[in-house]
Amino acid sequence: MQTYLHRARRGSVRLERDVATELEPAAALYLFANNRDARLRYVEIAARHLGDAIGDLPANAPVFWVTLINREHAVREDEAGAFQIKRLHRWAHRLLRGCNYVGMVEAALFTNLDVVAAGYKRTVSWHCHLHVWGVSEEVIAEICTKANTRYRTLVPGVTVAHYRPVTYAEACERAFYMHKGQISEYRVWQRRRVSMDDDTGVITIVGTGRFSQGKRPMRPGDMARMCRVFAGRTLDRLAFAGGAGRKVLDAIRVEALGPRREQDHREAARRASQEALRHAHRSAAARKLIPHRLGSRR
């Protein structure tokens, strides 16, 4: 995408300066969600801490990979940048009360939502992926069933909540997936079936009213547009946790934010040193003026 932005061809998407700055390697220590280096470093830290937490569980303790999607968190692309992530956090916390989990919020760009009569084509669906443990499969299945009964997704036929048990190796692999960032766009198509008219015998293909979704690599222009959606958002704030997962997320944040804190401390020390030096210069200048003033009085 950097090549796309630097070429600045006519009609291409041009990012505002503050958004473009988030993509620069030097900005990685701030954990901007738009920053590739930040994501690579954060996912390495997150995968290691999640792996340690899951590895410490009893051998027969189940771990689940859970995805949660809600129509209420799908918004027009031009409004997605103003979406309040805490809404999604609160909803997931309510659903998973009593579970241990670490989750990450992501956004899926749909580019042809008009086929489901949404009223507009380009839509961002905010959703989350989570590692969940500390409950049985019966409990997590009941949680998902209740969510699927009570809520709806934007695409008919796509479930709100789904889960699958994962092994230790799969859980570590999924940790990389949940932090992948915006690399795909999603498109929707209606499922169809063959219908034959009983009177005429004419065979036609008709829609079923249910839909499927697929994805393809995101084009550079759409990647740039999604940078605007994620502008100002940081990985440590997109992440959330509950139960024993809070301790895991705290450890992830402490390590991930370490370089920024070190830089902040160095910057604070530099400013303090400069201020002390200026104060010393002012004091020295004042001492030189005192004899001159006394002499002028004589």
Side-chain angles (χ1 to χ4, degrees), residues 288-298:
K288 290 179 181 178
L289 288 173
I290 290 174
H292 174 73
R293 289 174 178 173
L294 290 176
S296 64
R297 289 179 183 177
R298 293 187 188 130

Side-chain angles (χ1 to χ4, degrees), residues 16-136:
E16 296 74 11
R17 177 170 296 187
D18 57 340
V19 180
T21 300
E22 295 182 5
L23 278 63
E24 297 176 358
L29 77 167
Y30 295 101
L31 301 184
F32 287 121
N34 279 327
N35 190 286
R36 183 191 64 177
D37 292 343
R39 281 191 178 269
L40 290 174
R41 182 172 178 275
Y42 188 91
V43 69
E44 184 275 326
I45 295 169
R48 176 160 34 83
H49 283 282
L50 278 167
D52 290 345
I54 293 171
D56 289 340
L57 296 175
N60 60 344
V63 178
F64 306 100
W65 170 253
V66 178
T67 298
L68 300 175
I69 310 168
N70 189 342
R71 181 172 60 189
E72 296 175 6
H73 305 140
V75 294
R76 294 167 57 107
E77 180 194 18
D78 56 0
E79 299 173 354
F83 180 79
Q84 297 298 313
I85 296 298
K86 288 295 184 182
R87 287 179 50 194
L88 178 49
H89 286 178
R90 287 193 293 266
W91 177 65
H93 287 321
R94 289 197 301 269
L95 291 180
L96 297 172
R97 187 176 291 112
C99 302
N100 305 320
Y101 55 90
V102 175
M104 172 61 73
V105 173
E106 283 293 355
L109 173 65
F110 287 86
T111 55
N112 70 330
L113 252 293
D114 52 332
V115 302
V116 297
Y120 41 87
K121 292 179 63 174
R122 301 176 63 85
T123 304
V124 173
S125 175
W126 292 97
H127 61 283
C128 60
H129 300 292
L130 312 97
H131 287 92
V132 180
W133 68 94
V135 293
S136 65

Side-chain angles (χ1 to χ4, degrees), residues 176-242:
F176 282 87
Y177 177 84
M178 69 195 291
H179 298 92
K180 67 184 184 305
Q182 286 56 62
I183 60 176
S184 301
E185 70 167 276
Y186 292 81
R187 294 183 67 81
V188 177
W189 63 90
Q190 186 171 186
R191 298 176 189 175
R192 301 184 182 278
R193 63 179 177 84
V194 176
S195 176
M196 185 176 71
D197 189 287
D198 293 335
D199 296 328
T200 65
V202 174
I203 297 176
T204 57
I205 306 296
V206 298
T208 63
R210 298 182 68 79
F211 296 81
S212 296
Q213 67 181 40
K215 60 183 178 181
R216 66 186 184 187
M218 187 177 288
R219 294 170 295 182
D222 284 334
M223 285 187 176
R225 293 184 181 93
M226 290 302 289
C227 284
R228 289 174 175 164
V229 171
F230 275 88
R233 303 184 193 273
T234 59
L235 296 169
D236 59 308
R237 294 304 173 190
L238 292 171
F240 64 105

Side-chain angles (χ1 to χ4, degrees), residues 7-18:
R7 285 178 179 172
R9 291 176 175 173
R10 171 185 265 179
S12 64
V13 179
R14 300 190 182 186
L15 295 179
E16 296 74 11
R17 177 170 296 187
D18 57 340

